[in-house]
Amino acid sequence: MFGRTLDYHRSYGEQVVITPRNYPFTFRHAGSVAQHAAMLGAAINCEFPLYYDAMNEHGLCMAGLNFPHSARYFPVAEGRLNLAQFELIPYVLAICKSADEAAELLGRVNVTHESYSPQLPAAPLHWLVADGSRAFVAESTAGGMNIFDDPAGVLTNEPPFGHQMQGLANYMHLSPRQPQNAFSPGIKLEPHGMGFGAIGLPGDASPQSRFVRAAFFAGNFSGDLPEFFNVLGALSVPRGSCITDEGEEATIYSCCCMPCCGTYFYRTERSLCVCRVDLFAEDLSSALPVAYPMHTLHAVAVNSRRE
């Protein structure tokens, strides 16, 4: 399972978008791709899907996360694979079948500073990429593109990934099990409730704290889809609990990709219902994208697998 929470001060009317195999992608400097892997994820603008997160039919998943202070994009560079920030997810998922292929491709990418439109400037992002055997992080910073293997399998926002991983050492004493008394041999001490082994796990909404919390939950996770959404719930930001200069930050939606069956599950801020969209329920030989509205006050019936 591969999932994320999308935390922001507003929604842009995200939809769950399926891009079939014959939708013609035209990239600004990387030519056209007429036939490619089908993909499914949360996006805006079906005419050229601006994916926040998605998976392709081969089980490769990719998500972009806010990276406002460290992300750097560049002018077009001769001899490099030049992709605008908004082209990165569709290009990688169109071309690659595995995380290894994606890491090799992204190592050759020069992320350009071009915007999709004046209304949609280039978002400062870094990316989490994973399949069933490997997870890695791609960051375009002042020194260019960097690829980092991600043994924790998680990513949040700032600081850069290397600093996030170093910070985990501050919490290496935490455990999901109840602790033994190491305080003093002369004082009889026993836990008087559950969770004592994880006392000190940060609970605030800062990116570094959420990284620690996500790594702890992911490293000790042994559940199913409902439990996966419980983990995402423990990482979500309730509206009103985090206020920035732009407004109230909140978890707009949470999602889970299940590559084994090509299914995308999601839950929005305004609904307790978990909805499902199935990649293989659509005609993937088509050239026309399919979109399902995400944000509704009521449960909606989305597509289901065709027999």
Side-chain angles (χ1 to χ4, degrees):
M1 290 177 277
F2 177 96
R4 63 94 55 85
T5 62
L6 190 284
D7 313 293
Y8 205 50
H9 64 278
R10 56 161 293 186
S11 166
Y12 283 89
E14 300 81 18
Q15 298 175 301
V16 180
V17 177
I18 294 174
T19 304
R21 297 172 187 136
N22 292 306
Y23 171 82
F25 277 116
T26 300
F27 301 96
R28 296 196 175 178
H29 306 286
S32 298
V33 180
Q35 294 182 315
H36 50 78
M39 62 193 76
L40 159 66
I44 57 175
N45 184 28
C46 284
E47 293 184 5
F48 188 102
L50 305 178
Y51 279 111
Y52 297 4
D53 50 78
M55 67 176 173
N56 69 16
E57 61 182 299
H58 303 296
L60 181 64
C61 304
M62 187 170 180
L65 286 85
N66 200 27
F67 198 39
H69 301 294
S70 302
R72 297 291 184 274
Y73 305 145
F74 303 94
V76 173
E78 188 174 350
R80 300 290 301 280
L81 175 55
N82 293 285
L83 293 170
Q85 164 269 317
F86 64 88
E87 297 176 328
L88 215 59
I89 291 179
Y91 191 90
V92 169
L93 295 185
I95 299 297
C96 300
K97 295 182 179 180
S98 69
D100 287 343
E101 289 183 8
E104 189 280 328
L105 184 149
L106 285 166
R108 298 186 282 110
V109 166
N110 174 59
V111 184
T112 69
H113 48 48
E114 298 160 283
S115 300
Y116 179 78
S117 70
Q119 295 74 33
L120 293 170
L125 303 176
H126 56 174
W127 295 268
L128 178 62
V129 185
D131 60 12
S133 60
R134 180 185 180 187
F136 70 87
V137 171
E139 293 182 340
S140 180
T141 59
M145 180 63 82
N146 298 287
I147 306 296
F148 304 96
D149 277 316
D150 185 354
V154 300
L155 184 65
T156 56
N157 309 125
E158 297 282 356
F161 178 72
H163 295 290
Q164 293 192 3
M165 285 297 294
Q166 287 178 350
L168 289 183
N170 295 325
Y171 303 91
M172 60 189 295
H173 61 285
L174 300 186
S175 169
R177 302 184 183 279
Q178 294 288 63
Q180 299 297 313
N181 179 18
F183 183 81
S184 171
I187 305 175
K188 184 179 180 179
L189 298 173
E190 294 181 354
H192 50 77
M194 66 179 186
F196 270 57
I199 288 177
L201 185 68
D204 60 84
S206 66
Q208 183 87 57
S209 293
R210 295 175 79 214
F211 184 88
V212 176
R213 206 154 68 251
F216 181 80
F217 292 143
N220 296 290
F221 177 76
S222 60
D224 51 12
L225 180 67
E227 204 60 38
F228 190 87
F229 272 98
N230 285 341
V231 169
L232 292 179
L235 302 170
S236 66
V237 181
R239 187 166 294 278
S241 66
C242 184
I243 301 175
T244 68
D245 292 340
E246 295 178 308
E248 291 183 342
E249 298 282 329
T251 297
I252 305 299
Y253 72 84
S254 305
C255 70
C256 176
C257 299
M258 293 192 70
C260 63
C261 53
T263 308
Y264 186 92
F265 295 90
Y266 68 92
R267 183 169 66 192
T268 65
E269 179 189 13
R270 305 301 300 167
S271 174
L272 295 176
C273 176
V274 175
C275 297
R276 183 187 78 182
V277 176
D278 186 344
L279 177 65
F280 296 108
E282 303 299 333
D283 178 9
L284 298 185
S285 64
S286 170
L288 299 176
V290 179
Y292 292 90
M294 235 182 171
H295 300 282
T296 174
L297 292 177
H298 306 287
V300 295
V302 291
N303 72 348
S304 58
R305 185 179 298 277
R306 292 174 182 157
E307 297 299 330

